[in-house]
Amino acid sequence: MTSGGDAPGMNAAIRSVVRTCAYYNIECVGIYRGYQGMIEGDFKPMDARSVKGIINKGGTMLKSARSTEFRTKEGRQKAYDSLKEENVDGLVVVGGDGSFTGALIFNQEFGFPVMGIPGTIDNDIYGTTATLGYDTALNTVVDVIDKIRDTASSHNRLFFIEVMGRDAGHIALNTGVGAGAEEILIPEEDLGLERLTESLRRSKRSGKSSSIVVVAEGDKIGKSVFELKDYVDEHMHDYEVRVSVLGHMQRGGSPSCFDRVLASRMGVKAVESLLDGKTNFMVGLVNDKMNLTPLDQAIKGQSKINTELLRVSDIMTT
Ligand code: F6P
């Protein structure tokens, strides 16, 4: 099943899990709408042909939902009963932090074997260098910033561009460097408003006529892109300022080749690990190899931002 926010590559992961099951002659059922569908017994038997033509599709054919009922003991009991009725003996969950927390509690209560595949554009999961959808989202965002830069430079404007990432700055930091942003604001570091305006003044003095500032939605300064615009409007008169909030378009679209390959590898590893009798792990990519991290570590551990990128960004904006 897929759970939590959708991410490009989830379909490729579904395909991989289903085809790995077919390869090992294991019956496979897809669970629709995440934990809510599990509670309601919304299952569909799947074979190798059920997943044809989806490797290149964004979103998730199994759909996704956030279930409040699964947060209750009664809800989880219903989910367990549905799985037993369907003769399911192992679960692969493609999702993020919240989905893994649910899987872990479910295992602790019912001893049900669970395996996680990290699927979120935020890349904020410990135990893998990349989550499904992250690479695609980076490419989508860089493409859009390039387009916005055309307007920024034609009109000598300063753009604040908000990208996703409530708790993690991976998208902002990488797309900021990749698209040549003048400043990058992330949840992990407080740049401070004065440093921001000072940096914008410096870039103006150095001869730049336009500027791009990439802002993660949960940036530590704690101001929305609209408040940042107001602040700059008030304190600097050298720029005409505009704002662009990229929103959910970052989660959509056809997965990149990297995400398709990663999803295919993770699906195989997840099914083979369950077959090996393993449970409560998340499949991850570490040093280009498939790796298993205990679910409780994946949830609690912090995926750290790459601080080298902050330095690279500083040097690039000289
Ligand atoms: O976790 C993925 C994510 O896209 C975050 O970056 C974003 O803050 C959040 O989901 C948005 O969630 P929703 O689609 O429920 O509004």
Side-chain angles (χ1 to χ4, degrees):
M1 73 175 195
T2 49
S3 168
D6 65 303
M10 280 187 164
N11 277 324
I14 295 167
R15 173 181 180 270
S16 173
V17 168
V18 172
R19 294 221 166 139
T20 308
C21 286
Y23 179 82
Y24 287 107
N25 285 316
I26 305 163
E27 279 180 54
C28 183
V29 293
I31 303 172
Y32 281 89
R33 297 179 292 118
Y35 289 114
Q36 196 53 39
M38 195 196 278
I39 291 169
E40 293 168 20
D42 197 357
F43 301 151
K44 183 186 162 215
M46 297 179 92
D47 62 23
R49 297 284 73 75
S50 327
V51 287
K52 66 175 195 284
I54 64 167
I55 193 169
N56 57 335
K57 300 281 194 294
T60 159
M61 68 167 290
L62 289 177
K63 304 197 183 289
S64 197
R66 302 190 201 278
S67 169
T68 43
E69 205 180 345
F70 193 77
R71 290 172 186 266
T72 66
K73 181 82 204 268
E74 297 73 40
R76 293 193 291 275
Q77 180 66 55
K78 279 194 215 163
Y80 179 74
D81 294 343
S82 305
L83 288 177
K84 280 287 129 188
E85 201 173 314
E86 191 72 28
N87 287 322
V88 178
D89 10 64
L91 179 67
V92 179
V93 183
V94 189
D97 233 43
S99 315
F100 294 163
T101 305
L104 199 56
I105 295 171
F106 193 60
N107 174 273
Q108 281 154 0
E109 284 176 352
F110 299 100
F112 204 87
V114 293
M115 195 59 60
I117 292 182
T120 163
I121 64 163
D122 294 343
N123 202 34
D124 57 350
I125 308 259
Y126 177 80
T128 187
T129 44
T131 54
L132 295 183
Y134 174 56
D135 180 69
T136 305
L138 292 184
N139 288 310
T140 303
V141 171
V142 160
D143 190 41
V144 175
I145 298 179
D146 286 350
K147 292 186 168 106
I148 292 174
R149 193 180 277 286
D150 290 345
T151 298
S153 60
S154 303
H155 289 267
N156 293 349
R157 283 177 180 168
L158 161 63
F159 267 86
F160 285 105
I161 303 177
E162 185 192 281
V163 300
M164 277 188 166
R166 267 181 304 212
D167 310 306
H170 298 289
I171 295 179
L173 191 52
N174 281 272
T175 59
V177 171
E182 276 62 43
E183 277 300 341
I184 305 166
L185 307 185
I186 56 176
E188 294 85 348
E189 296 261 329
D190 191 350
L191 185 70
L193 284 172
E194 274 173 26
R195 223 205 94 178
L196 172 67
T197 42
E198 183 41 46
S199 152
L200 291 172
R201 286 202 180 94
R202 207 176 44 242
S203 87
K204 193 83 185 169
R205 281 197 302 271
S206 76
K208 290 186 185 176
S209 54
S210 66
S211 276
I212 301 279
V213 178
V214 177
V215 185
E217 55 182 337
D219 90 275
K220 206 158 195 166
I221 292 182
K223 299 231 175 292
S224 74
V225 276
F226 299 99
E227 290 166 332
L228 288 170
K229 173 188 183 314
D230 289 346
Y231 183 87
V232 170
D233 276 344
E234 199 181 312
H235 293 86
M236 294 179 72
H237 305 289
D238 335 49
Y239 283 109
E240 205 186 332
V241 190
R242 291 290 186 274
V243 162
S244 206
V245 178
L246 302 192
H248 285 79
M249 55 100 75
Q250 295 162 89
R251 287 229 302 250
S254 180
S256 65
C257 183
F258 178 87
D259 276 328
R260 296 180 199 192
V261 174
L262 184 63
S264 304
R265 294 174 73 185
M266 286 180 165
V268 171
K269 181 72 176 174
V271 174
E272 289 183 342
S273 301
L274 279 174
L275 282 177
D276 277 351
K278 299 204 169 72
T279 181
N280 296 3
F281 284 102
M282 182 198 79
V283 177
L285 180 72
V286 177
N287 296 330
D288 201 32
K289 292 209 163 46
M290 285 295 101
N291 180 71
L292 294 180
T293 299
L295 272 183
D296 58 341
Q297 280 181 30
I299 294 159
K300 283 198 216 105
Q302 285 254 309
S303 79
K304 299 254 184 317
I305 50 150
N306 184 348
T307 46
E308 183 216 334
L309 279 184
L310 287 173
R311 218 173 68 80
V312 169
S313 168
D314 274 352
I315 295 172
M316 288 304 108
T317 52
T318 304

